[in-house]
Amino acid sequence: MARKPAEQAVSREDILLAAADVFRAQGYHGAKMADIASEVDLTAGSLYHHFPAGKQQILREVLNNGLDMVTEHVRKIVEDPDLSPPEKLKKAIYAHVTALTENPSVAAALVFETRNILNDQEGRDAYLKRRDIFENLYQQVIQDGIDSGVFKPVDVDIFTKTLLGAHNWIGVWYRPEGRLSGADIAATIADIFLQALLQR
Amino acid sequence: MARKPAEQAVSREDILLAAADVFRAQGYHGAKMADIASEVDLTAGSLYHHFPAGKQQILREVLNNGLDMVTEHVRKIVEDPDLSPPEKLKKAIYAHVTALTENPSVAAALVFETRNILNDQEGRDAYLKRRDIFENLYQQVIQDGIDSGVFKPVDVDIFTKTLLGAHNWIGVWYRPEGRLSGADIAATIADIFLQALLQR
DNA sequence: TTGTTAATTAAACTCTTGTTTGATTATTAA
DNA sequence: TTAATAATCAAACAAGAGTTTAATTAACAA
């Protein structure tokens, strides 16, 4: 048999979701095209109809879409003119952490598979640019807080990387079926980093 | 030609060091046996004399040795009966962070290559056991501090994972030739997490 | 010296897996 | 109805890379 009825047709989005799952379970190199395909009831060759550039392209889109998704959540908070730096930081952490816990496969890919896009000439620059933009959102909030005197002075670079490390690591250990909700985790993390920044 | 003079002979330790470097640069799957071998002026086949079980065994030993190294640094502090919980935490962070910044390839491997040992029946359990023991060192210090009233109550599990996330992420972004020393990073991180724990 | 063992090499072996290709079937617009 | 296009499959292709093997040489003890 060949082509499926229209309603059952597999979309690019379906494939990317499946790919993220397989990447989480087996890693990019451990994930065979056939594994990804079978998750959506296709064969390996069929994937090339949707992604002519093959496995690399699938990885690129998983990571770029994932990072864009997280970025939009955080940006919405950070660019709200009615919030103070401490409010922004707290809400941004909440938005960021819950975005990760609600998309655990994407969260894992953002940690473990980033390496595999760095040797890919096509994808590398676009991805790194996205990542800088994202990191800058946090740096800006922290710098603003320091400048306005609500936050005590810290090394913004180290502080931001420490915060992002804590967040990204969620992608390594978080299990949806576990004891902890995204909100629990966000609350604890927000508390830690706000305590550290607020003057006493 | 074949065997080298005794003084120039390549040791297992040399190979593991080289392997960690290659893993950092290219990842476990991107690292060819020939790449590792050429770093120590051998050919791929020669590695099987030192590591009969091949590439998997090399990964296992890189990760186990690396984790043992870091564990010993931290354990020395944590098991010192003369230190209070806040002193222990501060010194443990310092020891841990500097161990990572002084061994950047190992630090990177501990983040990125752990995945690749989890599907390895031989290595998996031994490694996970080590990791639990290590994580427990930090949990114990924090729990002790809470029990004795110097630390305010927090979710020890989330707190520890947040701290370890911050630390492990160093293996992703730290560059030895960069602006920051291990001591700088340790000082900032210790400050963040102690502020968060100390009662006001 | 000389036999034994350790260390190494080159080259062949295999297997896996991403990719390509040509045919086949469903869909849809004219 | 029918031509054109989209989606899919099965099977072949290609190439890389981990591993094995047999031979070779250095070291060292007796």
Side-chain angles (χ1 to χ4, degrees), chain A residues 12 15-16 18-37 43-64 109 113 116-120 122-123, chain B residues 29-30 115-116:
Chain A
R12 301 181 89 249
I15 296 172
L16 292 176
D21 287 345
V22 179
F23 290 164
R24 177 178 60 165
Q26 309 172 214
Y28 176 71
H29 284 283
K32 301 166 210 160
M33 291 296 271
D35 295 334
I36 298 171
T43 58
S46 303
L47 297 179
Y48 290 79
H49 179 70
H50 301 279
F51 301 92
K55 202 178 173 185
Q56 279 284 319
Q57 184 183 6
I58 292 177
L59 175 63
R60 261 181 248 147
E61 300 205 15
V62 167
L63 290 181
N64 285 332
E113 313 312 345
N116 297 308
I117 208 176
L118 295 182
N119 291 49
D120 165 21
E122 307 299 320
Chain B
H29 286 281
R115 155 196 305 288
N116 297 307

Side-chain angles (χ1 to χ4, degrees), chain B residues 4 10-11 14-16 18 35-42 47:
Chain B
K4 300 201 176 161
V10 176
S11 72
D14 294 334
I15 296 171
L16 292 176
D35 295 333
I36 298 171
S38 89
E39 286 285 306
V40 290
D41 293 306
L42 292 180
L47 298 179

Side-chain angles (χ1 to χ4, degrees), chain A residues 98-179:
Chain A
T98 52
L100 293 177
T101 54
E102 283 166 15
N103 300 276
S105 295
V106 171
L110 288 172
V111 173
F112 287 119
E113 313 312 345
T114 292
R115 155 197 302 292
N116 297 308
I117 208 176
L118 295 182
N119 291 49
D120 165 21
Q121 284 304 325
E122 307 299 320
R124 182 197 167 94
D125 293 344
Y127 185 75
L128 288 181
K129 190 175 166 190
R130 274 180 169 79
R131 218 179 49 172
D132 283 348
I133 289 171
F134 176 65
E135 195 165 327
N136 212 46
L137 291 176
Y138 276 106
Q139 287 186 330
Q140 201 55 57
V141 172
I142 293 163
Q143 189 64 58
D144 284 352
I146 294 172
D147 292 345
S148 70
V150 266
F151 289 160
K152 69 182 192 189
V154 295
D155 186 308
V156 175
D157 191 23
I158 303 181
F159 192 96
T160 304
K161 288 194 160 69
T162 301
L163 174 61
L164 289 178
H167 283 186
N168 289 329
W169 204 245
I170 294 169
V172 178
W173 62 266
Y174 177 73
R175 293 290 168 271
E177 67 281 8
R179 163 177 77 91

